[in-house]
Structures are given as structure tokens and as C-alpha cells.
């Protein structure tokens, strides 16, 4: 193919098909010049998988800096139903999955909170933090997704890993009538209780009128899915449990750790959840171009995700010492097999419902003021809300054997219970019953306890951007200058509510309240058959189920004053009819950020020794003010209850705390690319980027933790004055574009990131809270006890103070003004750590001439000084999400048949840390997907899609693989459908 014609074809593809990606194509200075250049271009229309790959390659080639993209195959047809599952095929991008679907992304080792997501170059709100959930967004109106791995001054800040821009279709970018409708039948092979086939319906309509000066686009989709999520979980691995007092203990200890540390399982249990997900998306776009120089766009985007679950979990709970009959400890200090005496075998009946709702209303005015000056004004108001609905996001009732041998209907007890982690991917659990009974019976079952959680997270965002571009029509290397100013206000709010009550029949005789017919034995032998240790390997293969509403009704009816109660609480904590839900708000946290930014960026085009060079250099300045308010009931005093027992006295009313902070940052960037020989492009980029600290760390909270026993007085304080994480980034890459849709590339990147957070504890006093343990009264009591020859124990001192002040023995002693201020261990996050990360990105894409076949593959290798030491005890700094990844796709696209099979793999990575500062890891995961489309004619296409074809499973663990934390099993999903275009 003629080289010049090939380049023209590439540019034509991007111009005619990008659908909103025009910011990546260089502007011409004058309208006449645009017309002349356009007349020289051989415009060819491409669609399908091959067309999408070609367009994505052209964007990568033509961009300043390192940019990768996924583009639509045709109007209303994005390569995947889920955006995250498309993005995982981009070099350096890995995804987190939720309920078996792509949810959030990690880029170059930086997790979701370090990546900024924009919609049409507008910053998007998120709930509960800074992690954008791609699972909320349907793809029918999406024309492309750009992943900016290097920074530009003219895009919003916030992404150290990357800035991801989602672009949507615009009617004036595609004049004339463009429309399509589509429908899918979805089958999730894991489904057990819902409809086996669920619908997905979508449509998009775009048209222009009045000589293409007015345009309207409407798109919408409704997608439903039913599935079952199976899992096994251990809630907690407890360090250094003392089991020495257990009678008749048989212990095998092979611990090889020099420090002798051990970890003991809190419990082990199976679970499943029958889930229903409904995703509703819609968009309306109105465009008006009164002249050739002015285009106004008004758009509204809406998405809603409704999720309901009906779950069961069942297993054994350990008491962690004192009643262990046998145990094995391996060389890592892990209790790999534990047998305890007594306890219960319980079933958790749980329900939950959440709604995620996103709204965005925006106005954009693009004005070509003169031939060489363009001004663009953009404003939008967007919101995101995630909330528990109905009873809440988690309402649960625990039923089980209630261990009552003297009740009217005596219940059997557990003799021993066991969990074995030494073999298989998930542990084996088992139990034996007293009196030689083989299994629990319905007569053994009662209620244990219950609770309701209901959280709400909201995020409101207002953003105003004024952008300008000046084009240089004179000779010289300078081609254009970009400049602008923006103002962004983001308001986060989190409220939590928990019932805090227990259901009827706390242990003892609650079985008396429930008819035996309410409990049904369920066989669970097929559960978790995707894991060794699950399915037919399991030793314990039954649980007792009951109707949630019937159990709640009985619990609500029980008389609190029943003489034979043995009841810890006597009412269901939330009215099932919705009159009372979850109880009063426990927490109300609010954080507001206001950022004003200015930027200027110069673009140069020149040559060096005949090699074309493009240089972009810019500077962005940002000033951010933070205000934080949290609803608190502060402690006003400490009360010495008795002996070594202490408590806080809290203020009568809750009030909002106040905190403030401010930061200022300069963010330079420079990108240079040079065509060293024909079709070989070398790139160099330097930039300084930032990501803002976690929203929770910015709260103005003062939390008094636990009881204020002597030596254990702990307070956690928020810090609204935290600095953002800042990164100095260097990128080098070499790319060879050797054919239509074919290239190879290799890139190296390095990042030095400052201001990572470390939780630092200092010893401090708090105004007004005094310590009666070291005051004058306590000192006098110690002297009196010494004079009497008595041991000054805590209890003796407490009694003597009461005696000296003439109060009754056992009267709590409250700090007063004569006592000194109490010392507290106060912990708060501070910007301390610096991290270095580097990595390699390799990619290749090849189209086999006119055969229709093609392949695409990439791999990313990530390194850094931020990896977790699984053997270390206590706090350590490490960056979650760091992992290698690789992707492979093979395609065929010819004569109306378009097919792709792809494999996406992510290596093991650090997920985070548990409550004991132990590192948590997610094991490596790979998934095969397939997509086949056949064009029956120019308008009608039928298709089949398959996801997770080999039923892959997921597994996370603490420190060592035998310390299972959670194992998840889903299943394959298959879609069959059609799309009709007008």
C-alpha cells in the first residue's frame, strides 16, 4: 500500500469514526485549510472488531504522550457490555471484579483511588471514596474510552496511575439519521432461584435537522441479571491466641518462626447469595450550531444500579483458647487444623438491597472566535448516591442450636467442631454432637441474634471550565497554545445506621418460641464444587433454613418480661414494614473540596535532521481548600467504674466538629514524540501528577476507641490538612506501525510518589478530660494504704477514695478539676512515605492482510519498593494493587462475520491489610471470553457472547495461602441477541 495514502486513510478513520474523540486530532488554523486537507483524504468507513482495533491504534499513534483507547465498533455497539471488561485489554490496566463483573480498575500498579475518571472531560463524582465503579455504566451510548497514562495540563488532575475519559456520541459529529436497537437474552449458569433468562434491551437514536445545525440524540438501556455467588470465608486470623489453659490439649507445633508468632482462625463457614441486578441507563443530547463558528451542547446522563441479595451462610465459630482439644501449627505459625469443644453451628439468614444512582447535567459552548482562536465553556452539575434501601444494605438474623439442656424442649449441644486448612483450596469443617446424635434436628434450632445496617453515601460535584486554544498561522515551530481555568466543588457525605440490638432468644431457650416445622434441612453437598475441599470433598453438607419474614415475626412477638426468657433482647431491630429502619444515624461525615486551577500548554511541530518532532509543554496550578464536619458526641470526662474497669462520660448532645485544610500544587508536563524513521515513533514524557488522599482520612473526627483503661486510652483523629499524593513520572516508549491496524510497542515508566499516608501515634492530653487515677485523691489513697500495710491494688485504691470522700463503696469516681489531664495515645494519618515504582509495557497487534484474522497481545511488568513483607509483624507500608498482567485476543472479521476470543490475566497482588496489620493477598486470576457477531444484512446483526467460559474462581488469603480469607465461585455467562441499525 502507498505509504502516504495509508496515512491519509488512518487519519480519515479517526476523523469519521471517533465519535467524540476529536480532541485527539490536531486542529487546523483556518476553515479553508481544513476543507483543502479533507478533500485530499480518501474516507473509508470501517466497523466491527477490526475497525475498533484500527481506530484505537490510530488514537495511540496520533496522541501526545502515552494514550491508549477502546472505541466503539459501530453506533450503539461497544466491544463489551461492561466498560471495565473492555479496559482490561489495554496494556497496564487490570480490573477488580464485584459479583463476577468488572467493577474498578488498577493502572500500572495504582489502584482505583489513584485513577481519575471523567465523562466527556468532566470529572465524575464517586460514592464512599474516590474509586469509580464502571459497573454502574452501560456502554450503548459510549463511543470510546481514552486512558491517559501521561499527564496533560488541559485535563483535570487526580490520576497518578491514569486519567480515564469516557466519551459519548454527539449528533452533530455524525450528521443524519443514525439509530439502532438491540436485545439480549442473558443466561448466568450460576443462577439457582431467579429467572434463568433475563433481558437486556437498548436503543440509540441520533438525527440532525435544519441543514445539520440542530441535532438530538437519545439512548437508553435496561439490563437485568440473576446469579448465585458462592463463597467460603474466615472472618479473622487472630494473632498469638493463648490455648495453654485448654484441658487435655493435643498440640502439634511445627512453627519455624523465630518470633514464635501464630495465627488462629476465628471461624470457618460456607455462604451463598442469590443476587438480582438491574442496570438502567439513559442519555439525552441536544446540539445547536447557529453558525459555523458556534456549537452549543446540552446533555443529561443518568444511570441507576439496583442490587438485591438473599443470602445464607453457615459454619463453625471458635472461642479462641481455653477449650481447644487438638491443634496443628505449621512452619509459618498458622493453625492449620483446630478442634474445639462445644459452641454452636449457626445459619445467617440475610437480606440486603442497595441503589447506586448517578446524574449529570452539562452545558458546553464551543466558539471559534476567529480563525486562530477557539474558546470553550463547559459547566456541569453531577451527583452520585449509593444507599441501602428497604431494610438496609445488610439485615440479618442468626439461627442455630441454642445449647439449652434444661429448657422445656432440651436442645442438643455440639461436642466438638473442627476446621482443617491443611489440604485443599478451602478448609474442611465438621462437628460431632452430644449424646451420639448424628445431626442437628429442627427441635434444636432457635434464634441467636440479629442486626440491621443501612448506609448512605452521596457525592455532589459542580465544575466550571473555560478553555482556549490559539493557533499560530505564522511560520515557526509553535503550532498552538492551550490555556484555561476551572473551578470544581466536590461534596462528600457518608451516614451510617446500625440497629445495635439483638433478636429474641439470646442462646438458652429461644428454641421454645419457634415451631419445629419452621426449620428445614437443606443439603449443601454441591456447594463450592469449583474448589478442592468443596463439593463432594466437604465433610459437613447440610444447614437449616427458615423463612426470613416468619422468623422475624416471631422474634417481634416475644414478651421481654417472660419469666423464662434468658433473652438478651426481645425485638427485631427494624420494623419490617418500613416504619423504623435500622435505627438512628450513628455517623454523619461530610467533606467538601474546592479546587481552582489554571493551566497553559504550548504545542510545537518541527523537524530535526528530517525527523518530524512534536512537543507539548505545559504547567497546571491548583489550589484546593478542604472543610470537614462530622457529627460527634464527644467524651467530656472519664469515669473510674471499679477495679480496672473504666468508661467515658459523653456530652448530652451530638454536635458537628469542624476542620479545615488547604494545599497548592504546581504540575508541569512535557511530551515529545519523534518519528525516527518512517512509521517508527519514539516518545519521552515527564509530568508531575497528584491524587487526593482518601476521603475518610480527611474527616474531622475525634473517636474515643474502646474503654479508657489505664495504659489503653486510645483516640483516633482525622486530618483535613493532608496533602495530596504527588508523583514525578517519566515515560519512554518506542512504537513501530508497520501496516494497517498492525504495530508493536515497548514502553518503560518510572514514578516517584511522595506523601503516602502513615498512621502515627503520639501521646497527648485532651482539654477537660482529667485522670482520677493519678490525681490528689488517688495519691492520698495510696499513702493511706501504705500506712496501713495494705497492697495498693486498683480495687483497693478505688475503695479507699470512696471511703475518704464519704461515698458508698463501689461508687464510680469521675475526674475533677484537681486531677491532672489524662494522657491519650492519639493516632492520625500524616504524609510521610515516599515510594518508587517502575515497569515495562509491551504490546503487539497484527492484522493478517485481507484474511480477516488478527491478534492483539500485551503484557505489563510492574516493580517497586512498595511490596508487602508477608512475614513482618505490625505496621508496614506497602501499595495495594501492584501486579503484573497480560492479555491476548484473536479476532476474525470478514464478510459479515466478526469474532473475538480473549484471555485476560492478572498476577497475585496485595489487596490491603486486615485489622491486625497482616497483609491480604488476592491470588492470580485469568478468564476466557468470546464474542461472535454475524451481519445478516446491512442492518441486522445477531451475536453470541460468553464470559468466564471456564468457570474460574477467585481466592484471597492473609499472609500465607493456607490462611484463607475468602473464596468466591460464580459461573459462566452467555448472551444471545440482535442489533438492528437504521
Amino acid at each position: 500500500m502507498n505509504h502516504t495514502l495509508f496515512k491519509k486513510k488512518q487519519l480519515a478513520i479517526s476523523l469519521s469514526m471517533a465519535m467524540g474523540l476529536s480532541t485527539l486530532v490536531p486542529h487546523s488554523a483556518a476553515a479553508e485549510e481544513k476543507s483543502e486537507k479533507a478533500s485530499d483524504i480518501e474516507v473509508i468507513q470501517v466497523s466491527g472488531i477490526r475497525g475498533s482495533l484500527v481506530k484505537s491504534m490510530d488514537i495511540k499513534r496520533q496522541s501526545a504522550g502515552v494514550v491508549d483507547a477502546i472505541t466503539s465498533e459501530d453506533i450503539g455497539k461497544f466491544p463489551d457490555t461492561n466498560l471495565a471488561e473492555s479496559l482490561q485489554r489495554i496494556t497496564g490496566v487490570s480490573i477488580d471484579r464485584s459479583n463476577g463483573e468488572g467493577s474498578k480498575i488498577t493502572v500500572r500498579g495504582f489502584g482505583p483511588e489513584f485513577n481519575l475518571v471523567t465523562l466527556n472531560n468532566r470529572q465524575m463524582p464517586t460514592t464512599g471514596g474516590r474509586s469509580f465503579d464502571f459497573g454502574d455504566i452501560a456502554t450503548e451510548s459510549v463511543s470510546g474510552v481514552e486512558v491517559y497514562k501521561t499527564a496533560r495540563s488541559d485535563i483535570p488532575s487526580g490520576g497518578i496511575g491514569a486519567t480515564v475519559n469516557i466519551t459519548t456520541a454527539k449528533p452533530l459529529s455524525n450528521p443524519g439519521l443514525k439509530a439502532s436497537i438491540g436485545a439480549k437474552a442473558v443466561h448466568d449458569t450460576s443462577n439457582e432461584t431467579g429467572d434463568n433468562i433475563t433481558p437486556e434491551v437498548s436503543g440509540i437514536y441520533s438525527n440532525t435537522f435544519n441543514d445539520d445545525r440542530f441535532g438530538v440524540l437519545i439512548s437508553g438501556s435496561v439490563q437485568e441479571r440473576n446469579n448465585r455467588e458462592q463463597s467460603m470465608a474466615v472472618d479473622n486470623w487472630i494473632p498469638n491466641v493463648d490455648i495453654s489453659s485448654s484441658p487435655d490439649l493435643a498440640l502439634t507445633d511445627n512453627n519455624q518462626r523465630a518470633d514464635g508468632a501464630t495465627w488462629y482462625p476465628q471461624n470457618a463457614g460456607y455462604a451463598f447469595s442469590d443476587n438480582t441486578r438491574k442496570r438502567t441507563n439513559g442519555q439525552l443530547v441536544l446540539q445547536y450550531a447557529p453558525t459555523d463558528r458556534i456549537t452549543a451542547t446540552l446533555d443529561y446522563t443518568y444511570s441507576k444500579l439496583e442490587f438485591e441479595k438473599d443470602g445464607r451462610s453457615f459454619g463453625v465459630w471458635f472461642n479462641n483458647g481455653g477449650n481447644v482439644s487438638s491443634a496443628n501449627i505449621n512452619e509459618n505459625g498458622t493453625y492449620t487444623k483446630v478442634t474445639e469443644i462445644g459452641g454452636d453451628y449457626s445459619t445467617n439468614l440475610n437480606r440486603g438491597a442497595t441503589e447506586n444512582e448517578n446524574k449529570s447535567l452539562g452545558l458546553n459552548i464551543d466558539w471559534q472566535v476567529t480563525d486562530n482562536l477557539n474558546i470553550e465553556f463547559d459547566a456541569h452539575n453531577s451527583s452520585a448516591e449509593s444507599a441501602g434501601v428497604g431494610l438496609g444494605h445488610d439485615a440479618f438474623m442468626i439461627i442455630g442450636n441454642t445449647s439449652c439442656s434444661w429448657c422445656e424442649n432440651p436442645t442438643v449441644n455440639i461436642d466438638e467442631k473442627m476446621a482443617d486448612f491443611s489440604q485443599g483450596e478451602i478448609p474442611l469443617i465438621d462437628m460431632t454432637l452430644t449424646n451420639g446424635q448424628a445431626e442437628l434436628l429442627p427441635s434444636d434450632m432457635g434464634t441467636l441474634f440479629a442486626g440491621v445496617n443501612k448506609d448512605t453515601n452521596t457525592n455532589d460535584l459542580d465544575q466550571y471550565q473555560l478553555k482556549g486554544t490559539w493557533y499560530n498561522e505564522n511560520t515557526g515551530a509553535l503550532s498552538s497554545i492551550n490555556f484555561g481555568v476551572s473551578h470544581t466543588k466536590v461534596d462528600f457525605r457518608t451516614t451510617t445506621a446500625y440497629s445495635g440490638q439483638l433478636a429474641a432468644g439470646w442462646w438458652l431457650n429461644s428454641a421454645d418460641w419457634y415451631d419445629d416445622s419452621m426449620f428445614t434441612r437443606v443439603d449443601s453437598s454441591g456447594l463450592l464444587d469449583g474448589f478442592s475441599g468443596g463439593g463432594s470433598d466437604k465433610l459437613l453438607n447440610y444447614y437449616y433454613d427458615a423463612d426470613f419474614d416468619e422468623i422475624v415475626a416471631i422474634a417481634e412477638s416475644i414478651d421481654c418480661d417472660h419469666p423464662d426468657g434468658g433473652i438478651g433482647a426481645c425485638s427485631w431491630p427494624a420494623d419490617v414494614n418500613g416504619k423504623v429502619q435500622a435505627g438512628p444515624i450513628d455517623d454523619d461525615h461530610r467533606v467538601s473540596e474546592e479546587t481552582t486551577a489554571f493551566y497553559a500548554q504550548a504545542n510545537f511541530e518541527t523537524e530535526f535532521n528530517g525527523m518530524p518532532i512534536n512537543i507539548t509543554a505545559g504547567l497546571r496550578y491548583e489550589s484546593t481548600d478542604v472543610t470537614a464536619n462530622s457529627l460527634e458526641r464527644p467524651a467530656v470526662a472519664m469515669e473510674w467504674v471499679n477495679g480496672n474497669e473504666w468508661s467515658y462520660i459523653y456530652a448530652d448532645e451530638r454536635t458537628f466538629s469542624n476542620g479545615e485544610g488547604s494545599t497548592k500544587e504546581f504540575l508541569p508536563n512535557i511530551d515529545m514524540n519523534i518519528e525516527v524513521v518512517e512509521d517508527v515513533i519514539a516518545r519521552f514524557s515527564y509530568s508531575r501528577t497528584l491524587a487526593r488522599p482518601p476521603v475518610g482520612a480527611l474527616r474531622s473526627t475525634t473517636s474515643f476507641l474502646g474503654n479508657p483503661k489505664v495504659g489503653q486510652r486510645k483516640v483516633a483523629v482525622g486530618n483535613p490538612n493532608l496533602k495530596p499524593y504527588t508523583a514525578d513520572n517519566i515515560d519512554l516508549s518506542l512504537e513501530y506501525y508497520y501496516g494497517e491496524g498492525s504495530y508493536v510497542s515497548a514502553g518503560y515508566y518510572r514514578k516517584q510518589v511522595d506523601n503516602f499516608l502513615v498512621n502515627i501515634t503520639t501521646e497527648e492530653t485532651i482539654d477537660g478530660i482529667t485522670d482520677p487515677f493519678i490525681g490528689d485523691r488517688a495519691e492520698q489513697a495510696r499513702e493511706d494504704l501504705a500506712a496501713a500495710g495494705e497492697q495498693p491494688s486498683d480495687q483497693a485504691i478505688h475503695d479507699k477514695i470512696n471511703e475518704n470522700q464519704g461515698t458508698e463503696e463501689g461508687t464510680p469516681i469521675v475526674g475533677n478539676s484537681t486531677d491532672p489531664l489524662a494522657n491519650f495515645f492519639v493516632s492520625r494519618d500524616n504524609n510521610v512515605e515516599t515510594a518508587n515504582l517502575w515497569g515495562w509495557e509491551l504490546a503487539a497487534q497484527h492484522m493478517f492482510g485481507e484474511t480477516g484474522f488478527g491478534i492483539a497481545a500485551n503484557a505489563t511488568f510492574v516493580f517497586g519498593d512498595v511490596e508487602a513483607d508477608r512475614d513482618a509483624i505490625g505496621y508496614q507500608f506497602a501499595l495495594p494493587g501492584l501486579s503484573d498482567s497480560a492479555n491476548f485476543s484473536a479476532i476474525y472479521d470478514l464478510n459479515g462475520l466478526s469474532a473475538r476470543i480473549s484471555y485476560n490475566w492478572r498476577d497475585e497482588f496485595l489487596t490491603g491489610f486486615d485489622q491486625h496489620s497482616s497483609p491480604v493477598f488476592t491470588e492470580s486470576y485469568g478468564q476466557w471470553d468470546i464474542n461472535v457477531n454475524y451481519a445478516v444484512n446491512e442492518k441486522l446483526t445477531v451475536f453470541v457472547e460468553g464470559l468466564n467460559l471456564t468457570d474460574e474462581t477467585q481466592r484471597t488469603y492473609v499472609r500465607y495461602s493456607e490462611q484463607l480469607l475468602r473464596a468466591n465461585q460464580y459461573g459462566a455467562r452467555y448472551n444471545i441477541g440482535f442489533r438492528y441499525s437504521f
Side-chain angles (χ1 to χ4, degrees), residues 458 490-495 585 587-593 626-631 656-659 695-696 698-701 720:
T458 60
V490 189
D491 294 313
F492 297 93
R493 185 182 181 190
T494 296
T495 63
I585 290 176
D587 296 300
D588 187 345
H589 303 289
R590 307 176 188 189
V591 174
S592 179
E593 292 177 337
V626 176
T627 57
N629 311 99
S630 289
L631 187 63
F656 277 99
S657 62
N658 295 286
V695 176
L698 293 171
R699 295 171 179 170
S700 62
T701 54

Side-chain angles (χ1 to χ4, degrees), residues 673-695:
N673 63 69
I674 179 171
E675 192 166 5
V676 291
V677 296
E678 191 173 73
D679 295 325
V680 177
I681 297 175
R683 300 183 191 271
F684 165 79
S685 295
Y686 164 78
S687 63
R688 186 172 177 82
T689 55
L690 65 79
R692 305 202 178 276
V695 176

Side-chain angles (χ1 to χ4, degrees), residues 420-676:
D420 184 355
F421 297 83
S422 64
Q423 51 189 320
E425 296 171 300
I426 61 176
L428 300 173
I429 62 175
D430 202 359
M431 66 178 180
T432 58
L433 304 178
T434 56
N435 304 322
Q437 185 172 313
E439 286 190 1
L440 291 171
L441 300 174
S443 58
D444 300 319
M445 304 299 292
T447 52
L448 301 181
F449 58 99
V452 175
N453 296 273
K454 189 172 186 180
D455 297 349
T456 300
N457 293 283
T458 60
N459 183 193
D460 295 308
L461 191 151
D462 293 294
Q463 187 174 52
Y464 305 91
Q465 301 179 82
L466 184 63
K467 305 176 181 180
T469 302
W470 174 79
Y471 303 100
N472 182 20
E473 293 185 325
N474 301 317
T475 59
L478 178 66
S479 61
S480 62
I481 295 176
N482 309 111
F483 56 91
V485 60
S486 67
H487 181 79
T488 307
K489 186 175 187 295
V490 189
D491 294 313
F492 297 93
R493 185 182 181 190
T494 296
T495 63
T496 65
Y498 175 63
S499 64
Q501 301 179 31
L502 300 173
W506 175 247
W507 304 99
L508 304 181
N509 69 340
S510 70
D512 292 349
W513 294 96
Y514 301 92
D515 190 272
D516 294 350
S517 63
M518 299 180 69
F519 302 100
T520 304
R521 183 191 184 280
V522 179
D523 181 90
S524 60
S525 56
L527 197 65
L528 293 163
D529 57 5
F531 292 96
S532 59
S536 60
D537 294 339
K538 296 201 308 297
L539 302 177
L540 195 57
N541 280 308
Y542 76 97
Y543 68 95
Y544 275 96
D545 203 356
D547 183 272
F548 186 91
D549 294 322
E550 290 182 4
I551 292 290
V552 167
I554 297 294
E556 287 183 314
S557 71
I558 297 177
D559 182 2
C560 297
D561 299 321
H562 191 280
D564 299 323
I567 296 171
C570 55
S571 64
W572 170 247
D575 188 291
V576 293
N577 295 318
K579 299 176 183 177
V580 180
Q581 296 178 352
I585 290 176
D586 296 318
D587 296 300
D588 187 345
H589 303 289
R590 307 176 188 189
V591 174
S592 179
E593 292 177 337
E594 289 195 59
T595 299
T596 301
F598 303 87
Y599 73 88
Q601 182 173 277
N603 307 295
F604 302 89
E605 296 178 4
T606 186
E607 288 189 356
F608 175 73
N609 287 340
M611 296 181 292
I613 299 177
N614 297 288
I615 299 174
T616 298
L619 179 66
R620 187 178 183 92
Y621 168 77
E622 292 197 351
S623 174
T624 300
D625 295 317
V626 176
T627 57
N629 311 99
S630 289
L631 187 63
E632 297 181 330
R633 180 177 282 115
V636 295
M638 290 193 309
E639 183 178 60
W640 189 1
V641 178
N642 219 334
N644 66 347
E645 295 300 321
W646 291 73
S647 66
Y648 287 110
I649 298 175
Y650 292 93
D652 294 333
E653 300 293 334
R654 294 197 293 176
T655 57
F656 277 99
S657 62
N658 295 286
E660 296 181 348
S662 63
T663 60
K664 294 176 172 60
E665 297 290 340
F666 288 93
L667 305 172
N669 75 282
I670 182 168
D671 298 299
M672 180 177 70
N673 63 69
I674 179 171
E675 192 166 5
V676 291

Side-chain angles (χ1 to χ4, degrees), residues 255-274:
N255 194 355
Q256 302 299 308
R257 294 182 60 92
D259 57 14
T262 60
W263 289 272
Y264 191 97
Q266 174 68 78
N267 65 330
Y270 306 114
F272 66 86
S273 177
D274 291 311

Side-chain angles (χ1 to χ4, degrees), residues 9 11 50 67 230 263 303 409 417 530 643 663 683 727 863:
K9 284 186 176 182
L11 181 58
R50 180 186 176 102
V67 180
Q230 301 179 37
W263 289 272
S303 70
N409 298 305
K417 54 184 178 292
T663 60
R683 300 183 191 271
F863 309 90

